[in-house]
Amino acid sequence: MRSNMMLLMAAAIWGLGFVAQRLGMDHMGPFTFNGLRFLLGALSLLPLLWWLKSRQPPQPAGDHRLLLTGGLIAGTVLFSAASLQQVGLLYTTAAKAGFITGLYIILVPVIGLALRHKTGANTWVGALIAMAGLYYLSVTEEFTIGYGDLLQVIGALFWAVHLLVLDHYSNRVAPIRLAGVQFVVCGLLSLATAFVIETPTASGAVAGWQALLYAGLVSVGIGYTLQVVGQRGAHPAHAAIILSLETVFAAIGGVLLLGEHLDERAVVGCALMLAGMLISQIRLRWWWKSRRNKVPSQS
């Protein structure tokens, strides 16, 4: 229950974080914003890391190498996912971005097939329903998909890989240290990209300080740490279904705080996508048996 509550809090923080991510780009480019927010998130972990260091035995040299390897891999994948998401937000709404990003919970078991993970029919049923929802949400009558929505779809693939990477390393190294290393890697890669294709300025960072504060300290520092710690005690599929509620919080935040509007077609798409995400995590055989047990005998 503690792990599940941590993951639910992370979902709420991330969902509302789409609002901050949209507002932050009123003052700076997407890579500048990501670089600053992830480095700020890493800095926010320093007091906790110092406190844990004084209460834990020294880590063996092999653990440090594993931590560095895991942090580099997770940070690089996180950079790819966060970059696609942030740039995509320039061309789509926070509500749509939240629901499309949520596709990663279906992609997790699909990718898991390559890792010899078992999956059931519910995954494929949920995937078909979610794809129908994506069609209603993003594909126009001219059968074209918006550029921002397409970036979010590609980003969902990287979010799925990121969840699997964390699942692999979170039980092998200290989760808070893993979170810190991946934030630093992602932040440095983002800033390096920003200095190549953007023009970062101190005035832009100051003007967007509120969005940076939430996206950095709360969304990154607290949200991702809750994910890393929560995943230690939760099954990957259970973690995915809880984190999928991020899409609901993103839609609520976009409508209430950004004044975004979802037409009837988009609402149908969102509903189908959420249904597909949930169905993909439910064992259909168990559901069918429970239904049969509730039906009174006709004899």
Side-chain angles (χ1 to χ4, degrees):
M1 179 60 68
R2 183 177 63 179
S3 296
N4 290 343
M5 290 303 299
M6 287 182 177
L7 294 173
L8 180 61
M9 290 174 61
I13 288 171
W14 290 343
L16 297 177
F18 280 93
V19 176
Q21 290 174 239
R22 282 291 303 271
L23 294 175
M25 288 188 295
D26 291 340
H27 309 285
M28 65 198 86
F31 290 98
T32 301
F33 182 81
N34 269 351
L36 293 176
R37 78 180 180 111
F38 279 105
L39 290 179
L40 184 60
L43 287 174
S44 70
L45 295 182
L46 289 180
L48 181 58
L49 288 171
W50 177 82
W51 182 80
L52 290 174
K53 184 178 180 180
S54 63
R55 287 162 174 79
Q56 293 179 345
Q59 299 294 314
D63 288 351
H64 288 297
R65 288 193 293 267
L66 186 61
L67 173 63
L68 181 59
T69 301
L72 286 172
I73 296 174
T76 302
V77 177
L78 178 61
F79 163 73
S80 302
S83 298
L84 288 164
Q85 183 184 83
Q86 195 67 27
V87 175
L89 278 169
L90 291 171
Y91 306 98
T92 190
T93 65
K96 292 176 69 174
F99 272 96
I100 297 174
T101 298
L103 283 174
Y104 74 87
I105 74 162
I106 294 176
L107 296 175
V108 166
V110 173
I111 297 175
L113 292 176
L115 304 175
R116 298 181 179 180
H117 295 176
K118 293 182 178 181
T119 188
N122 55 314
T123 299
W124 307 111
V125 174
L128 289 175
I129 295 175
M131 290 304 296
L134 179 62
Y135 172 81
Y136 275 98
L137 182 65
S138 302
V139 180
T140 65
E141 295 179 355
E142 291 78 20
F143 206 73
T144 58
I145 185 171
Y147 179 63
D149 293 346
L150 179 60
L151 291 180
Q152 301 297 342
V153 172
I154 301 173
L157 175 63
F158 283 93
W159 288 119
V161 174
H162 182 248
L163 191 146
L164 289 171
V165 170
L166 289 184
D167 180 65
H168 177 76
Y169 284 101
S170 61
N171 288 315
R172 293 170 170 80
V173 297
I176 304 299
R177 294 177 181 177
L178 176 62
V181 174
Q182 72 163 354
F183 296 159
V184 172
V185 171
C186 181
L188 292 177
L189 288 175
S190 298
L191 278 186
T193 306
F195 279 106
V196 172
I197 64 177
E198 298 174 358
T199 307
T201 62
S203 59
V206 172
W209 71 270
Q210 291 176 316
L212 274 176
L213 194 64
Y214 183 92
L217 293 181
V218 181
S219 186
V220 174
I222 299 177
Y224 282 98
T225 302
L226 286 172
Q227 180 198 16
V228 173
V229 177
Q231 277 195 235
R232 298 191 74 182
H235 188 279
H238 297 166
I241 192 171
I242 294 172
L243 293 176
S244 70
L245 295 176
E246 169 190 359
T247 63
V248 178
F249 290 107
I252 293 173
V255 172
L256 296 182
L257 301 178
L258 296 178
E260 297 177 351
H261 173 70
L262 293 175
D263 57 24
E264 292 182 2
R265 182 184 177 91
V267 171
V268 171
C270 289
L272 287 173
M273 290 187 69
L274 183 58
M277 294 172 197
L278 297 176
I279 289 173
S280 70
Q281 305 301 318
I282 299 174
R283 294 180 180 179
L284 297 183
R285 182 179 300 177
W286 171 86
W287 177 84
W288 176 248
K289 286 182 177 180
S290 64
R291 290 290 297 173
R292 289 185 63 184
N293 291 334
K294 291 180 180 179
V295 177
S297 174
Q298 302 297 321
S299 58

